[in-house]
Amino acid sequence: MQNILFDFISKYITLTEDEKNALLSLDLFHSVKKGTTLLAEGQKSQKSYFVLKGCIRVYYIIDGEEKTTAFYTELDALTPHCVLNKTPSEYFIACVEDSILLISNSDMEEEINSKFPKFEIMCRRLSEELLAKQQIDFDEFKTSSPEQRYLNMLEKRPDLIQRVPQHQLASYLGIKPQSLSRLRARILAKKN
Amino acid sequence: MQNILFDFISKYITLTEDEKNALLSLDLFHSVKKGTTLLAEGQKSQKSYFVLKGCIRVYYIIDGEEKTTAFYTELDALTPHCVLNKTPSEYFIACVEDSILLISNSDMEEEINSKFPKFEIMCRRLSEELLAKQQIDFDEFKTSSPEQRYLNMLEKRPDLIQRVPQHQLASYLGIKPQSLSRLRARILAKKN
DNA sequence: GGTCTTTCTTAACTTAAGTGAACGTTTGGC
DNA sequence: GCCAAACGTTCACTTAAGTTAAGAAAGACC
């Protein structure tokens, strides 16, 4: 599990043994059971998440309805909005599957960053990369129809369709569960 | 114009006079005429943009049609995807209005960042903030209808509706120009 | 100032998503 | 293994967006 982390980090910076040990001494690794709520609407939190194994999701409750807007799976990192602007959270974060997560809090990060300026560099590169990636995702979303989005997901994140309930996928695609059902039937009919 | 820049930076880090002068010596300020293409599809580029005054937009050409996905106005920063992953650009960037931009290239940034580690910190904070902000925007987009998105924009970026052509706004809202026209008529009818 | 082009609106028609409800299936808890 | 709840699919109906086309309005260029 630790190697997964270090392999990931090595894409951005090179760590010495000392630095690796400093990281490991922080007790970041956590097992979380499916269904666990990691963050609730209205809560304040300082915690950031990194998925080593499993899947977590972000969802809102709007007019009593759950709207899932994001899934984070292996090697995805998530710093909730509320951590950065220190306001109560507007959304929930929950575990979709039994997962192994790295959970850090901002104090920790400040400390590590000031001790090892290298981490600062990694964080910049990582968030720049994520920002750019998300921009592309957002662009694709804006420029395509629900059906295209679904087909696109089939190509790019086929695992999600297996591991996540349909009604959560639906709001992720910006539509209602019934529409996703119909859309899937439509695609099947076209194939034949 | 320079004060606008320094005021912006001061939200993230505190600069010494030396550092300010180092920045100014880089010749970052540029006037760009309306309609100018800053980046074209297929091009490779190292340039990042920061809008001091005016407006620039990102658009794709898909099946011969322009699809505008983002607008950047005063104090918005944009590092194109192609700069980060060193691939040819998938989109265009053009000037919507006569604008004053800061244009930097990645070499410059590397140099400044290594000379003044403070900048590294600013960049991290800035991109983390932008990432979080964009996540919220994306979430809002996914969880609302075109009509809600338009009303939302009326509240949060009313300036855009004035300064940007409707057909560009339409794709920004994820719909066709005709639908935007109709939707506006519908909203007007409801008011009375 | 007049012309050409781009942009915006309107309309009729098509297609797909939203809504409300019913029903069969799966899942989880006891 | 049984029951209740959650989930997925289907259907009929409503609403809104996509499409195609036409014409009015606004801007750009000479």
Side-chain angles (χ1 to χ4, degrees), chain B residues 13-164:
Chain B
I13 52 174
T14 309
L15 291 183
T16 64
E17 285 305 314
D18 275 1
E19 289 161 340
K20 287 187 184 180
N21 289 330
L23 252 190
L24 290 179
S25 73
L26 289 175
D27 184 35
L28 298 170
F29 296 78
H30 295 268
S31 275
V32 188
K33 278 258 163 281
K34 174 174 175 174
T36 309
T37 298
L38 297 165
L39 173 69
E41 184 189 347
Q43 274 189 354
K44 292 188 181 182
S45 163
Q46 304 224 70
K47 290 179 180 166
S48 289
Y49 304 90
F50 182 84
V51 181
L52 284 163
K53 186 161 179 6
C55 179
I56 62 181
R57 62 187 255 260
V58 167
Y59 66 97
Y60 293 73
I61 294 190
I62 299 175
D63 300 332
E65 269 190 55
E66 249 186 44
K67 307 257 189 176
T68 299
T69 57
F71 296 101
Y72 296 83
T73 56
E74 285 75 17
L75 304 191
D76 284 336
L78 166 58
T79 297
H81 194 244
C82 65
V83 173
L84 293 169
N85 64 5
K86 290 161 188 176
T87 56
S89 178
E90 290 162 45
Y91 51 74
F92 296 79
I93 304 176
C95 237
V96 174
E97 304 170 343
D98 292 354
S99 303
I100 301 173
L101 307 176
L102 249 85
I103 305 181
S104 66
N105 71 47
S106 14
D107 300 345
M108 264 183 201
E109 282 172 35
E110 286 293 333
E111 202 191 313
I112 275 264
N113 279 342
S114 65
K115 246 191 233 161
F116 305 106
K118 245 185 231 176
F119 279 95
E120 190 75 41
I121 296 178
M122 176 179 75
C123 288
R124 175 182 62 85
R125 292 196 183 149
L126 183 57
S127 44
E128 274 182 0
E129 183 187 311
L130 291 178
L131 179 62
K133 220 182 259 168
Q134 194 185 235
Q135 245 151 25
I136 297 286
D137 284 348
F138 199 173
D139 290 352
E140 273 179 2
F141 195 95
K142 276 185 184 166
T143 57
S144 58
S145 66
E147 185 168 330
Q148 289 171 316
R149 281 175 219 150
Y150 178 77
L151 292 169
N152 193 32
M153 185 170 63
L154 264 179
E155 265 192 32
K156 300 206 177 156
R157 300 190 69 177
D159 58 304
L160 276 189
I161 296 172
Q162 304 309 317
R163 66 208 289 194
V164 166

Side-chain angles (χ1 to χ4, degrees), chain A residues 16-173:
Chain A
T16 65
E17 283 305 314
D18 274 2
E19 287 160 343
K20 288 186 184 180
N21 289 329
L23 252 190
L24 291 179
S25 72
L26 289 174
D27 184 37
L28 299 169
F29 295 79
H30 295 268
S31 274
V32 189
K33 279 260 162 280
K34 173 174 176 176
T36 309
T37 298
L38 298 166
L39 173 68
E41 184 190 350
Q43 273 190 352
K44 293 189 182 184
S45 163
Q46 304 225 70
K47 291 180 180 166
S48 291
Y49 304 90
F50 181 84
V51 181
L52 285 163
K53 186 158 180 7
C55 178
I56 61 181
R57 61 186 257 261
V58 167
Y59 65 98
Y60 293 73
I61 294 188
I62 299 175
D63 299 332
E65 271 192 53
E66 252 186 40
K67 307 255 189 180
T68 299
T69 57
F71 296 101
Y72 295 82
T73 57
E74 285 74 15
L75 304 190
D76 284 335
L78 166 58
T79 297
H81 194 243
C82 65
V83 173
L84 293 170
N85 65 5
K86 289 160 188 174
T87 56
S89 177
E90 291 163 45
Y91 51 73
F92 297 78
I93 303 177
C95 238
V96 173
E97 306 169 343
D98 290 355
S99 304
I100 301 172
L101 308 176
L102 249 84
I103 306 180
S104 65
N105 71 45
S106 13
D107 300 346
M108 263 183 199
E109 282 173 35
E110 288 291 333
E111 202 189 311
I112 276 263
N113 279 343
S114 65
K115 245 192 234 161
F116 305 106
K118 244 185 232 177
F119 279 96
E120 189 75 40
I121 296 178
M122 177 179 75
C123 289
R124 177 182 60 87
R125 291 194 182 151
L126 183 58
S127 46
E128 274 183 359
E129 184 187 311
L130 292 178
L131 178 61
K133 220 181 259 169
Q134 195 184 236
Q135 244 151 25
I136 296 287
D137 285 349
F138 199 172
D139 289 353
E140 272 179 3
F141 195 95
K142 277 184 183 166
T143 58
S144 58
S145 66
E147 185 170 329
Q148 289 172 317
R149 279 175 221 150
Y150 178 76
L151 292 169
N152 192 32
M153 186 171 64
L154 264 180
E155 264 191 35
K156 300 206 176 152
R157 299 191 71 175
D159 59 304
L160 275 189
I161 295 172
Q162 304 308 318
R163 67 209 290 195
V164 166
Q166 300 285 334
H167 67 284
Q168 291 175 11
L169 283 182
S171 43
Y172 181 68
L173 294 171

